[in-house]
Structures are given as C-alpha cells and as structure tokens.
C-alpha cells in the first residue's frame, strides 16, 4: 500500500449551462487502492470521473493526475490511464481479435499476450464479433483491453450495473486478480453497495454535486454509529447524520467514534456500509 | 491450503472475518502450527475481496501472534493458541449439541440461547474471581 496520491482534485467545479453538475470538490484519491465513487443518478459521478482523467476541463479548480497537473490539450498522462465507460462500448462489428489489434495500434503500450491469455482463461473466443458476446463477456473484453494498457490508474464507470450477479462476480474476480498482480489504482462508480464492501477500501460519496463523505471505508465505519433510545424530536447532537423515529424510540446515525461516551439512556451500535451510504444519500442539504 | 470465506452484510468487517476464521481453525485443529496460509493474492482472487483487506487481516494475525510472515516464503500459522484437544472436542461438542437440541425443544430462540450461555459464563467467571 502506498501513501502516494493518484488524483488530486482542488476546488473543482463543472457547470453545464447554468447548472453546476459538480461544485467545490476537493479530494485526494490515494494510490494503490480500489476507490468507490457512490451517489444517486445525477449526483455528478460521471462528471467527476471525466474530470479526474482530463476527458474534459473543469469550469473552475485544478486536477493533478499521477503527479502531473492536467492542462487542456496535453493528453500525455492519458497513456497511463485505463478507462471503461458505461455500457462497455466496443465496435460491435469487430471480432475480439480485431478489437485487440485496433487497441494495440492506438496505444503506445499494449500487452497483447497478456490480453489473449486472459480472454482464453475466460473462454471468450477471439474470432467472435463483439456484438454477439453476452453482456458479461463484453464487460470482460472491455476490462481486458483497459488492463492491457498496463495503466497506473483504471477508471470504471458503473462497470457492473447492467450485469447479472454471476457475471458481476466474474468481472470483479478479473479486476481483483489484476489489482493483486500490479499496484494499479482503481476508481469505480457504482450503486451496488454490497459489492463495494468486498472490493473497495476507500470511498467517495457525492450528493447534489458535492462531496459529502470521503475516506478509508474502515475509518468511516469506525467513525460512525447508531444510537438507539427513547424518542427525541429535537436531537441537536454533534455529528447527527440522520434520525429515524418510532412512536416511542429513535435511531440516530451519528458521526462519532465508538469510544465516545454515551448517555446511559442510549444504546450504541456499530453501523454497516449500506446503512452509512443510505444515510448520507438521504441527508438534507 | 486453508480456505477462507467472506459473508456480505454480516456486520463483521471482512478482515475480521478472515482473522476469526484462522483463530477458530487453530482452536479446532483445522490449522496446525507451521501450516502455510495462502498468499494475499490467492485469497483476494479466490474470495473476490480487496487485496489490501487480506493484507490487513494477515497483519492483525501477526500482531496477535497467531501467524508469522517469512520473507520470500509466505505466512505461516504459529501455535500460540490453546487448542481444544480432539478427544475433548468430540466429547464436549456432543454434550453441547444435546444441550442445544434440548434448548430448541424447550422453544428457546437463538438470542435466548446466546443470552443463557453468556449469563452462565459470566456467573462462572464471577465465581472464579470471588
């Protein structure tokens, strides 16, 4: 594990017309991790991914990718980035072999043998047109092509959203095997929280175009808990994230360490990732 | 080689699940002193979890004195845990199973069983220290 920063984002904002898709975003994405980018549809996830790798310039603020400040029209850092866009776009009329040849020609670095080996292990025939592959196989081909660039940063936009549970697991298996072999940093956006808990060790949560939560998942879980006790309607508690009320009881999800003292009327429970994510996605502005 | 599993939604962090499995494996004799644990890479790929999580579990095991990493060779379990002897395990687990069957027949829910076990353990501990 490295303490280096893969992507440094400083006070970044992106405006489309009069609408700010992203505002006042400051983030350090640590290298050597698998980082989850979480948020509802329209929260700014895709915008943030595109800004992070310089696919478009921010309206304000600055981005530094793998130690190099991004400038418009200077795409050299992109050769160190693998990107799989939503829905794993492939040329559907190309065979898998033609797709490989195309990517070898258009990239400065391309591990042809490694890619062929991985596809063989997955049982994906090289002579099949990509449009005739299953959704899971198309996702695997797109991932294999991105990995063959031997990127230092791999960015995946909703990689498993359209896949069934088995294909999802197989995709993650390929991803984990690649991460374990190299020290590639992975930044992936997803709604599927249970998957994230196994795969990711760092998380960034967006709501309404702003970063609401960011950090190592273990630290985030250790830094929050649920307090259960008699109903309180005016909970003016430090670090209160959300409150749910029954007729006589209340559950308060609060940002405070497990070691913080509690009033004897309250029972403290650890929080799981799904609860934590939902609480922040629902939170009020 | 020892096989791990990780459950989602169990409420127990994945790295602690791995640590607990080694601890339990040692207590029950599925793991013996000197056994090699699979590499971080192998566990991550097999269980489909983040390699950093596996590395963290292995560091915890070392910290707890349950495993030792030998450079270039891998991670090996040490015998630093009081194992339940096989004969004792067989004898006591049989009686425990019988007791659980009785508890189920008496209509006790799992949390009532757990509460009873905790209460008896607390009583015994208090008697010992008294």
């Amino acid at each position: 594990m490295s303490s280096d920063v893969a992507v440094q984002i400083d006070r970044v904002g992106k405006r489309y017309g009069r609408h700010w898709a992203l505002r006042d975003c400051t983030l350090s994405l640590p290298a050597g991790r698998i980082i989850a980018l979480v948020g509802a549809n329209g929260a700014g996830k895709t915008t943030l991914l595109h800004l992070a790798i310089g696919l478009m310039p921010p309206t304000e603020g600055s981005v530094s990718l793998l130690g190099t400040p991004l400038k418009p029209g200077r795409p050299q850092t992109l050769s160190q980035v693998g990107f799989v866009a939503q829905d794993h776009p492939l040329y559907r009329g190309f065979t898998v072999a033609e797709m490989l040849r195309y990517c070898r020609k258009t990239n400065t670095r391309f591990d042809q043998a490694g890619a062929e080996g991985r596809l063989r292990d997955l049982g994906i025939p090289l002579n099949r047109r990509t449009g005739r592959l299953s959704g899971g196989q198309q996702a695997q081909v797109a991932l294999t092509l991105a990995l063959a660039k031997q990127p230092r940063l791999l960015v995946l936009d909703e990689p498993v959203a359209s896949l069934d549970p088995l294909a999802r697991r197989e995709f993650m298996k390929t991803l984990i095997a690649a991460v374990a072999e190299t020290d590639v940093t992975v930044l992936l956006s997803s709604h599927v929280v249970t998957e994230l808990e196994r795969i990711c060790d760092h998380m960034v949560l967006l709501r309404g175009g702003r970063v609401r939560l960011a950090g190592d998942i273990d630290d985030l879980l250790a830094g929050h808990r649920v307090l259960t006790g008699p109903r309180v309607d005016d909970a003016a508690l430090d670090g209160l994230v959300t409150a749910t009320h029954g007729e006589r009881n209340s559950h308060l999800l609060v940002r405070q360490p497990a070691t913080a003292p509690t009033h004897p009327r309250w029972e403290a429970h650890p929080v799981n990732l799904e609860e934590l994510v939902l609480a922040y996605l629902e939170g009020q502005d | 080689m020892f096989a791990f599993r990780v459950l989602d939604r169990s409420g127990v962090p994945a790295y602690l699940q791995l640590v607990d499995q080694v601890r339990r494996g040692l207590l029950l004799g599925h793991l013996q002193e000197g056994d090699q644990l699979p590499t971080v890479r192998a566990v991550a790929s097999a269980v489909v979890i983040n390699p950093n999580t596996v590395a963290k579990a292995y560091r915890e095991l070392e910290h707890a004195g349950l495993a030792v990493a030998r450079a270039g060779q891998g991670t090996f379990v040490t015998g630093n845990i009081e194992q339940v002897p096989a004969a004792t395990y067989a004898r006591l687990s049989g009686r425990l199973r019988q007791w659980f069957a009785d508890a189920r027949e008496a209509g006790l829910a799992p949390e009532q069983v757990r509460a009873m076990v905790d209460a008896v353990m607390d009583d015994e501990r208090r008697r010992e220290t008294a």
Side-chain angles (χ1 to χ4, degrees):
Chain A
M1 207 183 298
S2 149
S3 60
D4 293 352
V5 173
V7 184
Q8 177 68 45
I9 296 171
D10 279 313
R11 304 193 59 84
V12 157
K14 181 69 185 179
R15 196 181 59 202
Y16 297 111
R18 294 170 60 187
H19 171 69
W20 286 92
L22 210 60
R23 200 78 207 261
D24 207 16
C25 235
T26 297
L27 280 173
S28 283
L29 300 179
R33 306 297 197 82
I34 307 182
I35 302 160
L37 180 59
V38 181
N41 287 329
K45 297 193 297 287
T46 299
T47 301
L48 182 61
L49 292 183
H50 287 189
L51 289 173
I53 57 176
L55 285 181
M56 61 186 180
T59 309
E60 58 183 25
S62 62
V63 179
S64 196
L65 174 59
L66 301 165
T68 311
L70 284 180
K71 296 237 169 61
R74 272 208 351 215
Q76 76 271 40
T77 330
L78 267 186
S79 66
Q80 304 187 53
V81 176
F83 179 58
V84 178
Q86 244 170 58
D87 305 323
H88 330 107
L90 300 167
Y91 292 111
R92 301 175 65 83
F94 278 24
T95 64
V96 177
E98 286 164 346
M99 207 62 228
L100 281 174
R101 197 174 315 132
Y102 173 76
C103 289
R104 195 181 62 222
K105 296 271 193 227
T106 50
N107 283 288
T108 47
R109 202 173 26 185
F110 195 80
D111 177 15
Q112 174 90 16
E116 283 178 8
R118 188 167 278 133
L119 293 170
R120 199 177 317 117
D121 291 346
L122 291 165
I124 295 176
L126 295 182
N127 57 4
R128 181 88 37 98
R129 290 192 194 287
T130 65
R132 301 189 62 93
L133 297 172
S134 71
Q137 288 176 323
Q138 290 181 11
Q140 292 279 11
V141 170
L143 177 61
T144 300
L145 293 173
L147 287 171
K149 284 180 77 174
Q150 300 173 310
R152 287 172 63 201
L153 173 67
L154 180 63
V155 175
L156 309 167
D157 194 358
E158 295 282 357
V160 296
S162 59
L163 304 182
D164 64 64
L166 191 61
R168 219 172 250 182
R169 178 51 68 93
E170 289 302 315
F171 183 93
M172 290 304 187
K173 208 167 184 161
T174 305
L175 180 65
I176 288 290
V179 169
E181 277 165 28
T182 63
D183 55 357
V184 61
T185 305
V186 180
L187 173 59
L188 66 92
S189 66
S190 182
H191 312 299
V192 190
V193 176
T194 44
E195 213 87 64
L196 300 184
E197 198 153 12
R198 301 179 81 97
I199 301 298
C200 301
D201 52 1
H202 195 91
M203 180 171 79
V204 174
L205 185 144
L206 294 176
R207 190 182 72 239
R210 287 173 193 266
V211 176
R212 307 291 170 163
L213 193 63
D216 284 0
I217 290 177
D218 286 340
D219 294 344
L220 294 175
L221 292 176
H224 289 81
R225 55 184 182 164
V226 174
L227 301 177
T228 297
R231 174 151 185 164
V232 282
D233 288 305
D234 55 344
L237 211 58
D238 256 4
L240 180 68
V241 181
T242 51
T244 44
H245 303 289
E247 200 178 320
R248 293 199 193 81
N249 65 340
S250 293
H251 304 285
L252 311 176
L253 198 152
V254 291
R255 181 167 208 156
Q256 55 178 225
T259 50
T262 17
H263 191 280
R265 285 193 308 168
W266 295 91
E267 209 179 300
H269 304 281
V271 62
N272 70 22
L273 187 62
E274 190 165 15
E275 262 180 305
L276 186 69
V277 166
L278 288 174
Y280 274 88
L281 290 181
E282 279 171 3
Q284 301 297 311
D285 295 314
Chain B
M1 200 70 90
F2 192 68
F4 289 99
R5 62 198 284 257
V6 168
L7 298 179
D8 294 326
R9 297 167 184 270
S10 70
V12 181
Y15 82 96
L16 281 184
Q17 292 187 41
L18 300 180
V19 169
D20 286 346
Q21 282 164 39
V22 170
R23 193 185 292 275
R24 189 176 305 176
L26 272 164
L27 280 168
L28 299 182
H30 304 148
L31 276 172
Q32 308 276 350
E33 178 171 10
D35 280 354
Q36 186 173 6
L37 293 176
T39 62
V40 167
R41 194 184 293 186
V43 176
S45 300
V47 185
V48 190
I49 60 171
N50 190 304
N52 291 331
T53 304
V54 183
K56 184 170 179 177
Y58 279 18
R59 281 199 304 276
E60 282 288 315
L61 287 169
E62 283 184 64
H63 192 69
L66 295 176
V68 58
R70 291 195 208 120
Q73 292 183 59
T75 304
F76 297 82
V77 294
T78 57
N80 285 340
I81 201 161
E82 198 76 39
Q83 217 178 79
V84 182
T88 310
Y89 178 77
R91 185 162 51 86
L92 289 181
S93 71
R95 278 158 62 184
L96 193 57
R97 268 181 238 282
Q98 183 56 51
W99 185 86
F100 270 95
D102 291 348
R104 199 167 42 232
E105 208 168 300
L108 294 192
E111 67 262 31
Q112 291 174 308
V113 169
R114 217 168 284 135
M116 267 191 81
V117 171
D118 285 346
V120 170
M121 281 177 76
D122 281 351
D123 281 353
E124 288 300 313
R125 206 173 298 136
R126 231 171 279 134
R127 194 171 308 158
E128 277 166 25
T129 53

